[in-house]
Amino acid sequence: MDGIHDLGGRQGFGAVAHSPAEPVFHQPWEARARALLVVVAGAVQASGGEFRHSIERMEPGHYLTSGYYEHWLTAAATLAVEHGLVTGSELEASAGGRFPLSGPVIAPPVDEAGPDVGRPRFGVGDRVRVRDWHPPGHTRCPGYVRGKAGTVVRVDGIYSVPDIEAHGTARRYEPTYSVRFDAAEVWRDGQRGVWLHVDLWDSYLEPS
Amino acid sequence: MDGIHDLGGRQGFGAVAHSPAEPVFHQPWEARARALLVVVAGAVQASGGEFRHSIERMEPGHYLTSGYYEHWLTAAATLAVEHGLVTGSELEASAGGRFPLSGPVIAPPVDEAGPDVGRPRFGVGDRVRVRDWHPPGHTRCPGYVRGKAGTVVRVDGIYSVPDIEAHGTARRYEPTYSVRFDAAEVWRDGQRGVWLHVDLWDSYLEPS
Amino acid sequence: MSSSAHHPAPMSPMERRVAALEALLTERGLVPEGFIEEITRRYESEIGPMNGAKVVARAWLDPQYKQRLLADGTAAIAELDLGGAEGDHMVVVENTPAIHNVVVCTLCSCYPWPVLGLPPAWYKDPPYRTRMVREPRALLAEMGCLLPEEMEIRVWDSSAEVRYLVLPQRPPGTENMTESELAGLVTRDSMIGVARL
Amino acid sequence: MSSSAHHPAPMSPMERRVAALEALLTERGLVPEGFIEEITRRYESEIGPMNGAKVVARAWLDPQYKQRLLADGTAAIAELDLGGAEGDHMVVVENTPAIHNVVVCTLCSCYPWPVLGLPPAWYKDPPYRTRMVREPRALLAEMGCLLPEEMEIRVWDSSAEVRYLVLPQRPPGTENMTESELAGLVTRDSMIGVARL
């Protein structure tokens, strides 16, 4: 999904509000919201992909004007409603006001996961190109490297593909790779000595 | 600028709130805001590119959670402040509260416009490819066609390049073309019979 | 005088911001008297889709006008005394039984003011701008414009100086109508391309 | 009892939403008693950058440990009894006089919880996520981390299952420090890579 969460390289967001140290939770409700996500994800057996996608589906204006723990609360409530633990009207009645949830999944459900990839197709040093695609569902392939060529610098373990697990009970397992891109090739801005490393599943890549 | 305004193909925004007819202005302040932009743009001699860029530089969360005439008002106030007609503190004092303005220009000023392109490089039927680039300033080259190949279907007049005029007093003139893209090649989603036409300045294009 | 006149509704934050900018610009002598009212009146009453509807009706009745309109939209539209800002470079795209045209502006809200007036809110908001170039067939259907699967869709993203007007097909059963009756059939949506007549 | 106890501050909209979800889930028997307090306590007091600092100090003092840490981060970190969620697949990247490493998660907020705790707000907000992959040299400078122009920057976007820890360079003049004194020098920012020591 080409969603609002896919932020790498987008412009106009201004300065980083950096603080060298800060409380773990700024408000007590943040801690409770975080814990409630753990409760809901456990109760509905949400995969990591399904959890992340429930945040990505937030109304984009809401996503940008709310912090991380409001994202988590929205995800917890959305998953709770989608899995039938509670209803949206129960939430609004209990909250005494609006309780915005994330938008619907726009990708079709995945019934067939397709075959696992048991062995890495690529090795360290191989040139690869990221697929130039626009999947409508959850993916961990950031937009800013799509279509770009890079070099494998590390082969990691074999992991469940998020694009599959976010959309049903089927699972597919594939190796992931850390792929190095020259920032100047990604952004075409002549910067020097900057390497971007993105961790990508096997099916995101093609030989280059 | 890879800004929040470059919306073509982004996902998660939900249904169109379509109405077959509606008042030209929903609130009297909308009409006044619109007129004030005309006042300011005239007073500071803002080019179309500079005007549009002053909207594109709005804080992205503000952009997405406000309507068109709030964009125009923010542009009018931003241009008025940037050209010294008023100050931000005068605006906030007079409004009795926050008056959010757009963020700063992040692209360098353009002193040298470069040579005009007096004749079209391409003709109807020519295959062209949009530059795969990420200019940090104003541009009218939408992100969704960058790097994509298409066919020229119309050659239009010779116009001032927005990328130049938005960033200074220099001007460059180039032909524009209407370029046709197969939607299935842009989105890789197998849709059929859909052609996207984007109007592009000469320097956005390369022969394909 | 009623008591409410003594206690007008408090201004909204947007009203306060507009009033603030207006007051400061007026103080600097930049706002000619009556300017805001006059420009507002013009956009509220003089321009609007009734202008585009006249162009369409004329093209339906006069094949030579239609030819001129498709060859040079700006000039043919000027024959009806229409033109001006955001209408200096008009291209008219024709619907046929096999082709449907629809207009969008993904980067901002470009729209042919002289023939359609100011754009409706939905045209300027993100859902329309994001989706019309990505899934026009599905979005048109959602908006009530169901097209046969074999109908070709041409989307026009107004990204440069040209502004687009869709020339809808003349509906059947209108053979005896006058130009002004025909113009009455032409909706704003049919000239944007989110509806067929 | 003070009067304010009878009139507690009204709940904010966020507090009301959290309370609503918590009440409904509790009513359904899904929230074990004390669960929220226990998980909160753990993240507030047991995990945090003091854990990563121990790993770094050990690596500075023990070359063989450092070798194991760079070869298999997860296993070497587990030697210090650290591990768990968001730390199952750790990769440690080493700063040198010629190379600076920095970690980001552009798609969400992935972060190595067992060694650094929960991420700070700025790590999760759009400015950091948008800019660290686009203009890391300028952003690092803006954040107070000025690097010589010839220093190579390696940005690690935590887009899959691996979580990253930066191994900062040991500052000069620390030759006689104990492991715990050294750990006291290691900041969270130096292990994310937005500062050097």
Side-chain angles (χ1 to χ4, degrees), chain C residues 31-49:
Chain C
V31 187
E33 204 178 314
F35 175 81
I36 295 180
E37 292 71 19
E38 169 55 20
I39 195 172
T40 301
R41 190 195 58 72
R42 205 178 328 142
Y43 280 107
E44 279 188 329
S45 53
E46 285 179 15
I47 71 165

Side-chain angles (χ1 to χ4, degrees), chain B residues 42-156:
Chain B
V44 307
Q45 297 279 300
S47 64
E50 185 180 2
F51 160 52
R52 290 199 177 90
H53 199 44
S54 72
I55 292 181
E56 295 162 3
R57 292 186 275 118
M58 283 177 70
E59 195 280 312
H62 185 203
Y63 184 98
L64 288 185
T65 55
S66 59
Y68 179 69
Y69 290 112
E70 188 167 339
H71 294 185
W72 277 49
L73 180 74
T74 308
T78 299
L79 293 172
V81 169
E82 289 175 350
H83 287 271
L85 300 183
V86 303
T87 68
S89 29
E90 284 176 324
L91 286 169
E92 301 215 325
S94 177
R98 268 192 83 226
F99 200 130
L101 301 175
S102 298
V105 175
I106 58 174
V110 173
D111 299 320
E112 280 290 334
D116 291 343
V117 178
R119 282 157 183 276
R121 267 195 304 159
F122 306 108
V124 170
D126 282 358
R127 291 289 287 174
V128 291
R129 186 175 294 276
V130 183
R131 282 171 67 184
D132 184 11
W133 63 341
H134 294 273
H138 177 63
T139 186
R140 295 291 288 180
C141 182
Y144 72 96
V145 291
R146 293 187 196 154
K148 304 290 179 184
T151 304
V152 173
V153 298
R154 213 181 57 241
V155 181
D156 292 316

Side-chain angles (χ1 to χ4, degrees), chain B residues 18-19 22 32 90 144 199, chain C residues 22 28 121 157 159 188-189:
Chain B
H18 178 251
S19 61
E22 53 174 38
R32 303 193 87 78
E90 284 176 324
Y144 72 96
D199 289 350
Chain C
E22 185 178 335
R28 271 78 165 151
D157 189 350
S159 49
R188 177 197 68 190
D189 284 0

Side-chain angles (χ1 to χ4, degrees), chain D residues 165-194:
Chain D
L165 182 74
V166 174
L167 177 60
Q169 281 184 270
R170 181 173 176 172
T174 59
E175 293 73 15
N176 299 321
M177 283 190 177
T178 65
E179 187 165 331
S180 120
E181 285 170 331
L182 285 171
L185 297 178
V186 183
T187 62
R188 178 198 67 190
D189 284 1
S190 73
M191 294 182 283
I192 298 174
V194 297

Side-chain angles (χ1 to χ4, degrees), chain A residues 18-19 22 32 90 144 199, chain D residues 22 28 121 157 159 188-189:
Chain A
H18 178 251
S19 60
E22 53 175 37
R32 302 194 87 79
E90 285 176 324
Y144 72 95
D199 289 351
Chain D
E22 183 178 336
R28 270 80 166 150
D157 189 351
S159 49
R188 178 198 67 190
D189 284 1

Side-chain angles (χ1 to χ4, degrees), chain C residues 68-120:
Chain C
R68 295 199 297 282
L69 185 67
L70 295 175
D72 182 346
T74 318
I77 288 168
E79 293 179 33
L80 305 195
D81 282 327
L82 299 170
E86 296 294 307
D88 290 332
H89 311 287
M90 290 295 307
V91 167
V92 178
V93 287
E94 184 187 14
N95 281 354
T96 72
I99 296 169
H100 182 82
N101 293 281
V102 59
V103 182
V104 64
C105 174
T106 61
L107 294 174
C108 55
S109 314
C110 295
Y111 195 73
W113 297 347
V115 283
L116 294 187
L118 297 182

